[in-house]
Amino acid sequence: MSVIHQLSPHVADLIAAGEVVERPASVVKELLENAVDAGAKHITVELKHGGMTFLRVSDDGSGMDAADAETAFLRHATSKLREAGDLAAIQTLGFRGEALAAIASVSRVDLLTRTAGDDAGTSLRLEGGTVVERSPVGCPVGTTMIIRDLFYNTPARMKFMKSDAAEAAQILSAVQNQALCHPEVSFRCLRDGQEQLSTPGDGSLKSAVYTVLGREFSKDLIEVDSRWEDYLLRGFVTSPTATRGNRLAQRFFVAGRPVKSKLLSSALERAYENQLLAGRFPGCVLLLELPPRLVDVNVHPAKTEIRFLSEQDVFDAVRYGVLGALNRAPGRPEMKLSPRPKPPVEAPAAQPGSKREFYQTMDAARFRQFAKTVAQTPPAPPEVAGRVFAPPPKPVEATLSAPPAALRSEPRPPVKDPAPEPVQQSLPLPAVPGYRVVGEVLDTYIIVEQDGCMLLVDKHAAHERILFEKLRAAKEAPMGQLLLSPLPVRLGREEAGAVLENAALLASFGFEAEDFGGGSVVLRQIPAELDLSQAEATLQELAAQLLEGRRAAADALRDRLLHTIACKAAIKAGWHTDPRERDELVAQVLGRDDIKYCPHGRPVCMTLTRSQLERQFRRS
């Protein structure tokens, strides 16, 4: 008796459908891709009950004639490929010829379609992949697909479906993805008769991002537009201060397709290195365009995963494209203030003659009398803490007159000036807008006035970033300072082993450590920038970094060690700062574009505008 037998076409179709159609959102994704390939400019998605009982996708694309309409539902029927060589140059979203056949095999389908050259359109009705009715029909140019009773003939699949709300959310996400990677197309989505999404389709990615992801996501975006060899990267990324606790806000599109790629996510986060807090992740909408020969999109039935010919080139294109955008981003983060406080409850009227009477509301006659009294009363010198400050005396104007005879001298013969010395040519530097250092509060924040704004500079974050950039840019090892008395540092055995194993690496940062036995080491030299009181804590953190970063790349490990050294060597919050040191710190922050965030991602400088202050004081 034969054990192996060939499956019936119906069962084979159901198995194939399971690879392409996982849920209603899979149906919408495939139909949207077909509509975009057909050149549609307006696409509408309507659904009921989470898409399980009713789905309609309408477009104004090229449409199909009667013959093509029936052929399109056959397995492996496609207009995108002709021969094997075409697989190396795929430039359309659909090409496998499986989507319509898979959808029709697990649902009831109605199709309305017409081309611009036909007077009448075509209507088809299918059940379980079989055409049960065909007829000519009047309809607009384009295609309308109606999907009813999804998985009606595969009840085992029904139990894996989630609630109507969850399935509808997945459909909306599929529409959003298409709207982001095709901003030139207007997408509209209606759920149970209520509009959920409507994009303008004006070709602007920024307007598509605003419509799809909302105002909160869009207000802190940095534009990315770079080209590296054959790779074109454009889109938007969030600023380092607008990160999230997960990667759900990262959206990548390659050759017009939404994809999930750990490679692209890793390249994005590498660009934010030294600018993010631990456990925070940037958001993005990034579109990567590359020649078809450099990418293989035929590795997944749903085309959600792709393979690159050179992953390193793609990684570098994304990483340095985003990094360049972050470095070019102008401005500083603005301080977020609470809304203007509500007006206080009016206090009861004060008794005449009391001090509080001055602040009460006056009528017109009373105000004129008050103004007249103030104008006739000479101003009194201010009194602060019992001390009276009299106004300064007016300066006496000096009169220029001829000097007395005793001071006159005879004119001397002119002295020949020596030849002027050569002056070194100065290079023009970008001018820093005028600013004024007002002072320092809480021994932590420096107050600066510039261009009608108040700036608050975190001196620890600023100094930490300056030191980090200095250490990272140095081609020679940092200058070390020998300790008069070697400093023993107690570590765990694993930490001490990591320090001794990486003694050469630590020496390149100015540390000289030797084994002291029992899981301890002794420091004989530390970097010149590091205070002795911070040496032990710094080495303990470095040991922990070395243990955690055993498998990290050399550059990444070096940056992590420099983070620790810069943090420990920087000015601390709460320390009193010398005015000259404070002024130099402000000059560095305002004169350099790379001092925006500390290596941990905290902002160095916050801006408080005049209008923000006036709103808080109810002056506007």
Side-chain angles (χ1 to χ4, degrees):
M1 180 178 177
S2 177
V3 177
I4 300 176
H5 59 277
Q6 188 174 10
L7 292 174
S8 66
H10 177 64
V11 176
D13 287 344
L14 293 180
I15 294 174
E19 298 178 351
V20 178
V21 183
E22 299 177 2
R23 60 199 317 167
S26 306
V27 176
V28 172
K29 173 185 176 296
E30 298 292 345
L31 296 182
L32 290 179
E33 290 181 348
N34 286 345
V36 171
D37 282 342
K41 295 301 179 184
H42 299 84
I43 303 175
T44 302
V45 178
E46 302 170 71
L47 63 137
K48 295 179 181 178
H49 305 112
M52 293 299 299
T53 59
F54 180 86
L55 268 176
R56 176 162 53 196
V57 179
S58 308
D59 68 70
D60 59 355
S62 59
M64 295 178 286
D65 59 24
D68 285 344
E70 290 199 35
T71 306
F73 287 95
L74 300 177
R75 288 197 66 193
H76 306 302
T78 178
S79 62
K80 317 299 173 56
L81 299 177
R82 288 289 183 270
E83 55 189 21
D86 294 338
L87 284 171
I90 295 174
Q91 300 189 29
T92 54
L93 301 179
F95 60 90
R96 300 167 67 96
E98 294 179 316
L100 294 183
I103 294 169
S105 66
V106 292
S107 64
R108 296 183 173 97
V109 178
D110 288 332
L111 169 69
L112 300 174
T113 184
R114 181 170 77 88
T115 64
D118 292 337
D119 296 331
T122 300
S123 172
L124 292 179
R125 175 165 293 179
L126 301 92
E127 288 191 13
T130 302
V131 178
V132 297
E133 184 181 334
R134 61 177 64 83
S135 63
V137 69
C139 61
V141 174
T143 301
T144 298
M145 292 277 293
I146 302 175
I147 314 298
R148 292 187 175 92
D149 304 328
L150 188 62
F151 301 131
Y152 80 99
N153 55 354
T154 56
R157 298 291 301 276
M158 296 288 290
K159 64 182 180 182
F160 292 99
M161 297 299 105
K162 300 185 182 300
S163 65
D164 289 351
E167 296 298 338
Q170 291 292 326
I171 292 174
L172 180 60
S173 178
V175 179
Q176 289 176 337
N177 282 334
Q178 294 298 325
L180 290 174
C181 58
H182 300 288
E184 72 282 0
V185 181
S186 174
F187 290 86
R188 190 164 178 250
C189 182
L190 294 92
R191 177 192 173 191
D192 298 326
Q194 296 185 349
E195 185 175 85
Q196 305 292 309
L197 176 69
S198 180
T199 64
D202 56 1
S204 169
L205 179 59
K206 189 171 186 178
S207 62
V209 171
Y210 185 92
T211 305
V212 171
L213 301 179
R215 178 174 177 269
E216 191 67 25
F217 181 87
S218 305
K219 67 182 180 181
D220 289 314
L221 294 182
I222 299 171
E223 185 174 7
V224 178
D225 189 0
S226 69
R227 178 181 289 276
W228 187 76
E229 294 185 354
D230 293 324
Y231 302 91
L232 175 64
L233 183 69
R234 61 188 182 93
F236 297 92
V237 296
T238 56
S239 67
T241 56
T243 53
R244 286 149 177 79
N246 53 49
R247 296 184 174 90
L248 296 180
Q250 297 179 4
R251 303 195 182 216
F252 298 99
F253 305 91
V254 177
R257 292 181 175 83
V259 299
K260 300 175 182 177
S261 172
K262 293 182 179 180
L263 173 72
L264 299 179
S265 181
S266 176
L268 170 71
E269 293 167 15
R270 186 71 182 274
Y272 282 80
E273 203 170 40
N274 308 320
Q275 300 188 61
L276 281 184
L277 290 170
R280 305 295 295 179
F281 302 94
C284 73
V285 177
L286 289 177
L287 284 67
L288 179 65
E289 299 292 336
L290 68 170
R293 59 183 172 80
L294 298 180
V295 60
D296 183 4
V297 298
N298 191 27
V299 297
H300 192 277
K303 301 182 289 292
T304 57
E305 298 177 6
I306 56 177
R307 182 181 295 127
F308 297 104
L309 182 64
S310 175
E311 292 188 347
Q312 186 60 50
D313 289 348
V314 173
F315 185 93
D316 290 342
V318 174
R319 176 192 176 187
Y320 292 110
V322 173
L323 182 60
L326 292 175
N327 291 337
R328 292 191 303 269
R332 306 179 186 90
E334 284 194 1
M335 184 177 296
K336 303 296 189 297
L337 296 177
S338 59
R340 187 175 67 182
K342 295 181 179 179
V345 179
E346 185 175 352
Q351 297 297 325
S354 66
K355 292 184 178 180
R356 294 186 62 183
E357 184 182 6
F358 180 84
Y359 298 99
Q360 305 306 311
T361 304
M362 306 179 184
D363 56 21
R366 190 177 178 189
F367 178 79
R368 283 194 293 269
Q369 180 62 32
F370 172 77
K372 182 178 179 181
T373 304
V374 172
Q376 294 175 353
T377 304
E383 181 177 349
V384 178
R387 298 176 59 191
V388 177
F389 294 87
K394 296 182 178 179
V396 180
E397 296 183 0
T399 56
L400 298 177
S401 58
L407 298 179
R408 295 175 186 166
S409 58
E410 296 297 329
R412 298 180 180 179
V415 179
K416 187 176 180 181
D417 294 335
E421 296 182 359
V423 180
Q424 183 178 2
Q425 184 179 1
S426 61
L427 298 176
L429 297 175
V432 178
Y435 63 89
R436 180 172 69 93
V437 179
V438 179
E440 184 178 348
V441 293
L442 306 177
D443 282 334
T444 302
Y445 305 104
I446 304 171
I447 303 177
V448 183
E449 180 184 359
Q450 183 185 42
D451 290 341
C453 298
M454 185 176 77
L455 312 181
L456 289 176
V457 179
D458 185 333
K459 64 181 183 182
H460 171 73
H463 194 209
E464 183 180 359
R465 187 73 200 194
I466 292 170
L467 287 178
F468 174 75
E469 294 295 340
K470 175 184 175 182
L471 293 171
R472 189 166 61 164
K475 296 182 180 179
E476 64 279 351
M479 183 180 296
Q481 54 176 330
L482 289 172
L483 301 180
L484 294 178
S485 299
L487 178 65
V489 178
R490 186 168 184 80
L491 303 169
R493 292 188 181 275
E494 290 189 5
E495 294 173 327
V499 168
L500 298 175
E501 182 181 351
N502 293 274
L505 177 62
L506 293 175
S508 66
F509 298 142
F511 288 93
E512 183 180 331
E514 296 178 0
D515 188 9
F516 199 54
S520 298
V521 297
V522 61
L523 275 176
R524 297 190 178 278
Q525 178 178 288
I526 61 175
E529 292 87 356
L530 190 64
D531 189 81
L532 179 60
S533 61
Q534 298 292 319
E536 183 174 359
T538 302
L539 188 65
Q540 290 171 347
E541 283 199 28
L542 290 179
Q545 295 285 356
L546 290 171
L547 278 178
E548 294 176 3
R550 283 176 174 173
R551 299 182 180 179
D555 291 343
L557 178 59
R558 180 175 184 270
D559 284 350
R560 289 167 65 176
L561 297 178
L562 292 180
H563 284 182
T564 302
I565 296 173
C567 181
K568 295 299 182 182
I571 300 171
K572 299 296 183 291
W575 286 6
H576 179 72
T577 308
D578 184 86
R580 290 173 297 179
E581 189 176 23
R582 180 189 64 200
D583 294 346
E584 177 62 24
L585 204 60
V586 173
Q588 291 271 1
V589 171
L590 300 185
R592 293 174 57 175
D593 291 333
D594 57 340
I595 309 298
K596 296 179 182 177
Y597 303 93
C598 82
H600 303 95
R602 293 189 298 270
V604 165
C605 181
M606 300 288 286
T607 302
L608 188 61
T609 64
R610 178 191 293 271
S611 61
Q612 287 176 313
L613 280 172
E614 289 179 344
R615 282 196 300 270
Q616 294 296 312
F617 284 98
R618 302 178 62 194
R619 298 176 65 92
S620 62

